[in-house]
Amino acid sequence: MTALVVFFLTRNTIKEYTSDCEVYTGIASGYGITSGENDRVDYFAVNNAFDNLMATIKSRETIEEVGMRLLAKHLLIEKPSYDQLSPANFEHAREVIPESLRKKLIVKGSEELTYFRIESYRRSNQKNEIIEILKKPSEIYSFDKISSNMSALRKQSSDMIDISYKCNDPAACQQTLQIIVDVVIQRYKGIKGSETNNVVKYFEEQLRLSAGRLRKSEDKLRDYSSANKIINYYEQAKFVAESKENVVMDKQKQQMSLQASKAALVQIEKKMNLKKGLLEVNEKIQKLKDQLSDLNYKIANTELYNEDPAKITKYKSDAELVKRSIREEVEKQYKLNNTTEGLPRGNLLQEWLTNYIGVEENQAKLDVIQKRLDGFDALYTELAPIGSDIKRFERELDVNEKEYLSILHGLNMARLRQQSLEMSNNLTITDSPYLPLEPLPSKRGMLVAVSFIAVFIVTLAVIIAKSLLGKTVQTPGRAEKFTGLHFLGALPNYRSLDKGIIVPKLDEALLSHLSSTIRQHLRSCETNKSKTIIATISSIRKEEGKQFFANKIIPALAERNKEILFLNPKATKLSKNGLITEFPLKDNDNFYTAENIEAWMESENLDIKQYGMIIVILKELNKYNLPEGILSSACLNLLLLDSERVWNEADSRALSHFTKSTSGKNLVALNNIEIDRLETIIGEVPKTRSLARRIIKRAITFNFKRT
């Protein structure tokens, strides 16, 4: 029935079309600027990159942009066709977008501008037609529809991604898939580009700031050097130190030369025996001496500072003239020809004059050198703080320069990374989306089969669960399990028997089994043939079929030519039918308080010796009102249960109370048992079967020898 319902409901199933494409990502094997020949593949990074790409494909913004671009394409279509848009979707697109809104959105000939207008209109307020279309699950432009019909999977461990899409319109299927690929490529490029663009912008800004600090440091050093007339401080300082060292050496040489000239002059004066102070008092010689000293100072000063050579030559020429004048003046003052030692006085005078002039020259040079040394001290005093300031400026410049170079290196690496990403993460379509010509195979047959199997499995599961987990009696085994009593037999539900059941044969088999089993259990009571056999039939609840069961079994037991007294609570009068005497059992105190069955029968004027068997139907056991005297006399107590009843704790307690009051054998029987469960009791149920059914049953039971 379920399968027929599903078959009927799926008669107008909408046909679906599918299209797919293949995109090369280059994530795992792509080559970039920073790639090397021996680079190892980082599979964790590759998987992470594919996960990011998949998330981009399935993101809400991507799907919504696809929906709006698809809507823009469809709004520009003027008439339906197989490769443009189906008539149903063409009319639907005109219905969801009113004509007044269409005029605002459409830019003829420009799908891109139409999309921008749709996007702008969507963002104009919180609730409008475009938002409703994108949110409605049944729309081919909605997020739910596109995301549920789209599938994106990585092709094994390759760089390829398979993207497929299904739709009820072949043209819309191809168009949607093409738009998905285009949007994903643009968004993925933008995402990957933004990763490095922000880094590049950061380094560019930091480089600009660092360049300003570096330029400021350079300007400070330049201005300070210019103000203090410093070209190269370290070279200048080195030159000053070397110059001072040379001047010190010159001073030492001049001091040695001066001391030598003075010593020679003293020795010559001793030999000439000149009077002390004679030359000093001669006014003319003194003037010439002063002139010579002044010229020697100028010559020494000019030579020390490397001034104009012509000036030096003039000073030397003037000095020679002064020397000649001094020599002539001295010769006039001293006319003696020989010294006290008999030496020629002219030679000594010439030697004395040479040393005298030498002393003056050396003293003049020594004065110039000393003045130069004093100038070096002043220069050192000036250069010392300049050196400290320049070093501080240079340290600042060096720090700013290193910072600038470091940031420049970072910027170059970021740009290299940016270019590498652009080259290696360039998504490329290898297989373009195609226009499907045939719809997908219908799932109608599969749905019918699945519905049939599902209902069958559920029904079977319910039956098994009810059988295994429920507390319904149902079977002889469960009856023995719940009651703890031996099983006697069962009777079916005659009202639900199939038409093919042969009822007479079924009754014959069941009653034969019951009577035979009862007689087996009664043999222990027949040792004394003169004693009457007492049996009771009881049930825990009402309506479990005690009367029906007794009416069935008593005639079968009466076939042994023994009188049977049937104490029936539902009988209205005493009656006799062959060997069976039916006596109306009254519900009074005499029955429940009688010491035994003999005492009760005497009170009812019945002779127990007339009957070979007495069968008593008792009231429900859950009333806990038991005729203990009668039960003590009973040889057999039969508990009857309805097979469809549920066993509970109260039943167990009532049964326990009953068994404690009995002294005979207690058995359990089932009423209204399912016909199929009788096969475990009497074997094959007698019924009319077709030849095919008999063959199938023999095959299932492996009963091939039966003819």
Side-chain angles (χ1 to χ4, degrees), residues 81-100:
S81 63
Y82 186 85
D83 59 347
Q84 291 290 326
L85 191 63
S86 67
N89 286 326
F90 177 79
E91 293 298 330
H92 179 70
R94 291 182 173 272
E95 290 176 2
V96 296
I97 303 295
E99 186 65 27
S100 58

Side-chain angles (χ1 to χ4, degrees), residues 23 28 166 191 197 235 385 493:
V23 179
K166 62 181 180 179
I191 292 172
N197 285 340
E235 290 296 329
N493 185 352

Side-chain angles (χ1 to χ4, degrees), residues 431-669:
D431 285 339
S432 298
Y434 57 87
L435 179 66
L437 301 178
E438 296 293 335
L440 292 173
S442 175
K443 296 181 180 179
R444 189 181 185 188
M446 184 182 69
L447 291 174
V448 172
V450 169
S451 64
F452 174 79
I453 294 172
V455 172
F456 175 78
I457 292 175
V458 170
T459 304
L460 183 63
V462 170
I463 294 173
I464 294 174
K466 185 178 179 181
S467 175
L468 297 179
L469 302 179
K471 293 232 172 173
T472 306
V473 178
Q474 290 183 340
T475 64
R478 291 168 69 86
E480 289 183 338
K481 175 183 176 182
F482 292 146
T483 63
L485 306 179
H486 290 292
F487 180 73
L488 175 65
L491 290 177
N493 185 352
Y494 286 90
R495 289 172 296 182
S496 62
L497 292 180
D498 294 338
K499 293 181 178 180
I501 300 295
I502 305 174
V503 177
K505 290 186 177 181
L506 177 64
D507 280 346
E508 181 182 356
L510 290 173
L511 295 176
S512 176
H513 174 267
L514 283 170
S515 61
S516 175
T517 307
I518 290 174
R519 291 190 187 101
Q520 289 178 2
H521 288 290
L522 291 177
R523 285 175 185 173
S524 61
C525 302
E526 293 178 346
T527 54
N528 188 357
K529 294 186 179 180
S530 61
K531 186 177 181 180
T532 302
I533 298 173
I534 311 299
T536 65
I537 300 176
S538 61
S539 65
I540 296 177
R541 305 175 189 173
K542 282 185 177 182
E543 306 297 332
E544 295 206 60
K546 297 189 296 290
Q547 189 72 38
F548 177 79
F549 188 85
N551 293 335
K552 281 282 187 182
I553 193 62
I554 289 174
L557 294 174
E559 292 177 358
R560 295 187 66 184
N561 298 321
K562 283 187 177 182
E563 289 281 342
I564 295 178
L565 178 61
F566 177 29
L567 302 180
N568 187 1
K570 292 189 176 182
T572 58
K573 62 181 180 177
L574 180 65
S575 62
K576 185 175 177 61
N577 184 12
L579 297 176
I580 303 172
T581 301
E582 185 176 8
F583 182 82
L585 181 62
K586 297 178 181 180
D587 189 11
N588 53 34
D589 293 339
N590 291 336
F591 182 75
Y592 292 101
T593 59
E595 184 177 352
N596 51 44
I597 189 68
E598 291 87 350
W600 178 81
M601 291 186 71
E602 289 180 2
S603 66
E604 296 291 333
N605 299 319
L606 293 173
D607 186 6
I608 192 171
K609 295 179 180 180
Q610 294 181 1
Y611 306 103
M613 177 182 291
I614 299 175
I615 298 176
V616 184
I617 295 180
L618 302 178
K619 291 184 65 175
E620 295 79 25
L621 301 182
N622 58 6
K623 298 291 183 63
Y624 289 91
N625 189 13
L626 301 176
E628 296 183 0
I630 305 299
L631 290 174
S632 65
S633 304
C635 178
L636 180 67
N637 300 296
L638 178 61
L639 177 67
L640 187 64
L641 299 177
D642 190 332
S643 65
E644 298 300 322
R645 78 191 304 277
V646 176
W647 187 265
N648 55 36
E649 186 67 22
D651 298 332
S652 298
R653 294 182 183 276
L655 178 61
S656 176
H657 179 68
F658 173 73
T659 55
K660 289 178 182 179
S661 302
T662 61
S663 58
K665 182 167 292 187
N666 300 318
L667 302 174
V668 63

Side-chain angles (χ1 to χ4, degrees), residues 343-361:
L343 295 173
R345 189 172 294 274
N347 293 337
L348 287 175
L349 184 60
Q350 183 63 35
E351 188 175 351
W352 174 86
L353 184 59
T354 301
N355 285 300
Y356 177 78
I357 295 172
V359 169
E360 293 298 328
E361 290 179 350

Side-chain angles (χ1 to χ4, degrees), residues 373-393:
L373 288 175
D374 294 339
F376 277 118
D377 292 338
L379 188 58
Y380 277 176
T381 303
E382 182 182 356
L383 288 177
I386 293 176
S388 177
D389 291 341
I390 287 180
K391 200 167 189 67
R392 176 166 56 82
F393 291 146

Side-chain angles (χ1 to χ4, degrees), residues 248-264:
V248 170
M249 293 177 63
D250 290 341
K251 179 180 178 182
Q252 292 175 353
K253 291 178 182 179
Q254 293 300 325
Q255 286 177 338
M256 293 172 61
S257 180
L258 178 61
Q259 293 299 327
S261 298
K262 285 183 177 180

Side-chain angles (χ1 to χ4, degrees), residues 314-378:
K314 181 178 182 303
Y315 288 153
K316 287 183 177 181
S317 177
D318 293 341
E320 287 298 326
L321 292 176
V322 174
K323 289 178 184 179
R324 190 180 304 161
S325 299
I326 292 173
R327 187 180 298 110
E328 291 176 354
E329 188 63 31
V330 171
E331 287 177 354
K332 288 181 182 180
Q333 295 291 334
Y334 300 96
K335 297 294 186 180
L336 297 176
N337 293 325
N338 293 304
T339 65
T340 57
E341 290 82 6
L343 295 173
R345 189 172 294 274
N347 293 337
L348 287 175
L349 184 60
Q350 183 63 35
E351 188 175 351
W352 174 86
L353 184 59
T354 301
N355 285 300
Y356 177 78
I357 295 172
V359 169
E360 293 298 328
E361 290 179 350
N362 289 328
Q363 185 62 51
K365 290 181 180 181
L366 194 60
D367 292 339
V368 173
I369 291 173
Q370 186 60 46
K371 184 177 179 182
R372 181 69 184 278
L373 288 175
D374 294 339
F376 277 118
D377 292 338

